[in-house]
């Protein structure tokens, strides 16, 4: 394991750097969820017939701990929202819902136990250094036929991270997928089910081969409404209106998304709209960006659609995108007042 003192915070990107400890809680049919404990970070043992391995009965979450500029305080960002989202996902996948107290106990303990791995205040390329915390819940009991497991594990581990996209906060090139979809109505696109992600690897890989950072997915029914950017939410701005796809069942309800809607309204004075957005409208926008815990706010410089390139704001960061990013990052780092109760000191 790397000693945190040896980490070059300016160099790290978004890949796993193992830390001291992880949290493990378990659930057995009759007993229900029991509070977990910290264990050294390391391999786990699992039945080869665990339901998570065969049928994808599992969910994950992602949140960050930030170091604040004063007194080195460490704080999580809206962890209860992650807990509630995991509870919703559990219900969809027939997993006994992990109680919010156990979820919070896990992320709090992991953040505290690994506090030396939280990057220094606004360090790391483009100030995006943070401790990324990954809670996950898995069906661990043996199954043969497709059926819910009798046993579950809730695991929380963490890794220091830098920017998700190599260049940090800089415009990215995207491509609209005309072959694949991410989610369909009635499916699991609105929860962080592990099974939603392996199928995004091929379109993502193909886009990268062609020089794009990520794929934009359109809706599976009409092939005309923009849904998400890889595993991030999509926004576009025209005049003084900011729009993002409404949560109609195929969009993952991002916590960054929800925070941005609030900031756009309160701080930027933008009109905000949650609705269906046609691709033709997107291509004419003044600014566009993607959002998520990992990528924070990623300005979109251009979008390729049917072999044609559409550029936004001369491939420069737009003024509203900049303002939203600065405000969000400054709330997360305790630089500006958190009027919303989003900050959760640990
Ligand atoms: C996790 C995720 C997001 C972003 O959610 P945040 O809570 O903002 O991190 C968006 N889309 C998909 C598909 C995701 O998995």
């Amino acid at each position: 394991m790397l000693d945190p003192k040896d980490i070059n915070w300016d160099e790290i990107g978004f890949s796993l750097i193992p830390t001291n400890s992880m949290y493990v809680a378990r659930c057995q049919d009759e007993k229900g969820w029991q509070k977990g404990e910290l264990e050294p970070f390391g391999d786990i043992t699992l039945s080869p017939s665990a339901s998570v391995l065969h049928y994808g009965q599992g969910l994950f979450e992602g949140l960050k701990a930030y170091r604040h500029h004063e007194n080195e305080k460490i704080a999580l960002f809206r962890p209860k929202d992650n807990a509630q989202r995991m509870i919703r996902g559990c219900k969809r996948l027939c997993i006994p819902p992990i109680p919010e107290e156990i979820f919070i106990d896990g992320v709090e303990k992991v953040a505290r136990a690994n506090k030396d791995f939280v990057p220094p205040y606004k360090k790391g390329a483009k100030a995006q250094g943070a401790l990324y915390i990954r809670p996950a819940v898995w069906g661990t009991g043996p199954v043969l036929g497709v059926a819910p497991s009798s046993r579950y594990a809730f695991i929380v581990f963490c890794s220091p991270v830098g920017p998700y996209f190599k260049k940090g906060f800089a415009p990215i090139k995207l491509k609209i997928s005309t072959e694949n979809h991410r989610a369909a109505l009635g499916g699991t696109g609105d929860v962080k089910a592990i099974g939603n992600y392996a199928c995004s690897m091929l379109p993502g890989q193909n886009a990268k081969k062609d020089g794009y950072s990520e794929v934009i997915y359109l809706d599976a029914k009409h092939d005309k409404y923009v849904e998400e950017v890889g595993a991030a939410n999509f926004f576009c701005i025209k005049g003084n209106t900011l729009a993002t796809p409404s949560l109609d069942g195929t969009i993952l309800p991002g916590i960054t998304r929800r925070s941005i809607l609030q900031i756009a309204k309160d701080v930027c004075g933008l009109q905000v709209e949650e609705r269906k957005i046609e691709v033709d409208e997107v291509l004419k926008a003044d600014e566009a960006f993607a959002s998520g815990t990992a990528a924070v706010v990623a300005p979109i410089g251009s979008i390729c659609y049917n072999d044609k390139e559409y550029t936004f704001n001369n491939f420069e960061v737009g003024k509203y995108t900049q303002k939203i990013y600065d405000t969000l990052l400054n709330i997360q780092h305790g630089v500006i007042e958190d009027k919303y109760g989003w900050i959760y000191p640990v």
Side-chain angles (χ1 to χ4, degrees):
M1 198 187 60
L2 211 54
D3 186 320
K5 286 196 271 309
D6 297 331
I7 298 176
N8 182 347
W9 303 109
D10 291 318
E11 289 291 306
I12 60 172
F14 205 88
S15 51
L16 183 75
I17 298 173
T19 64
N20 293 325
S21 45
M22 62 185 189
Y23 179 90
V24 183
R26 296 188 187 277
C27 172
Q28 279 206 25
D29 264 350
E30 328 72 58
K31 285 196 255 156
W33 283 105
Q34 306 291 310
K35 217 171 189 186
E37 277 176 32
L38 288 172
E39 293 180 7
F41 178 83
D43 294 353
I44 55 165
T45 60
L46 199 60
S47 163
S49 69
S51 73
V52 67
L53 298 178
H54 297 266
Y55 304 125
Q57 201 193 11
L59 297 156
F60 71 96
E61 268 302 332
L63 68 163
K64 280 175 173 172
Y66 298 87
R67 198 179 291 276
H68 285 189
H69 64 320
E70 279 166 27
N71 55 42
E72 294 273 288
K73 186 171 88 179
I74 291 165
L76 303 169
F77 187 69
R78 310 188 73 170
K80 290 184 179 175
D81 292 48
N82 294 90
Q84 288 305 317
R85 186 166 66 191
M86 185 167 256
I87 288 172
R88 276 191 40 243
C90 283
K91 290 177 182 161
R92 180 66 181 84
L93 298 192
C94 293
I95 298 170
I98 175 94
E100 184 182 291
E101 312 81 74
I102 295 182
F103 184 99
I104 296 293
D105 186 52
V107 296
E108 237 176 38
K109 282 194 171 131
V110 164
R112 283 199 196 116
N114 298 290
K115 66 179 182 353
D116 294 345
F117 287 91
V118 184
Y121 169 69
K122 282 202 179 178
K123 208 58 175 110
K126 303 282 177 180
Q128 287 196 6
L131 186 72
Y132 182 81
I133 301 176
R134 167 56 59 86
V137 62
W138 301 320
T140 50
V143 296
L144 196 54
V146 178
S149 174
S150 55
R151 280 187 249 147
Y152 297 86
F154 170 67
I155 308 237
V156 186
F157 63 86
C158 64
S159 171
V161 294
Y164 186 76
F165 293 110
K166 265 197 215 83
K167 292 185 186 148
F169 185 68
I172 51 173
K173 281 177 71 174
L174 299 177
K175 183 177 189 172
I176 293 179
S177 174
T178 47
E179 273 175 24
N180 300 101
H181 294 106
R182 193 192 77 87
L185 272 173
T188 55
D190 61 346
V191 296
K192 279 180 111 70
I194 61 173
N196 292 343
Y197 298 85
C199 41
S200 71
M201 291 175 186
L202 182 64
Q205 209 173 49
N206 287 338
K208 275 166 203 148
K209 251 186 245 158
D210 295 340
Y212 299 94
S213 298
E214 254 304 343
V215 172
I216 295 184
Y217 292 105
L218 301 181
D219 78 287
K221 192 168 179 187
H222 304 96
D223 232 338
K224 99 177 168 192
Y225 299 108
V226 168
E227 297 214 316
E228 296 208 45
V229 179
N233 292 116
F234 176 84
F235 291 83
C236 60
I237 300 171
K238 182 82 181 171
N240 67 347
T241 301
L242 170 130
T244 191
S246 39
L247 305 177
D248 296 335
T250 55
I251 306 293
L252 195 286
I255 295 160
T256 320
R257 174 189 178 279
R258 192 180 307 163
S259 311
I260 287 170
L261 287 172
Q262 191 88 46
I263 290 170
K265 217 174 356 178
D266 296 356
V267 180
C268 302
L270 289 166
Q271 185 179 326
V272 305
E273 297 179 351
E274 296 179 70
R275 57 174 169 82
K276 292 204 186 308
I277 309 173
E278 275 194 40
V279 64
D280 292 340
E281 178 188 344
V282 164
L283 301 174
K284 291 183 215 137
D286 300 333
E287 300 179 30
F289 62 88
S291 85
T293 296
V296 196
V297 170
I300 300 173
S302 68
I303 294 177
C304 175
Y305 183 48
N306 287 332
D307 299 321
K308 223 178 137 207
E309 298 281 342
Y310 300 82
T311 303
F312 299 89
N313 199 46
N314 295 319
F315 214 91
E316 281 162 20
V317 178
K319 67 169 189 218
Y320 288 123
T321 306
Q322 182 76 52
K323 181 81 181 161
I324 290 167
Y325 173 72
D326 289 343
T327 307
L328 179 63
L329 214 66
N330 281 332
I331 294 175
Q332 289 169 332
H333 284 94
V335 179
I336 58 178
E337 192 204 348
D338 164 30
K339 287 187 288 192
Y340 308 109
W342 291 345
I343 295 303
Y344 189 98
V346 293

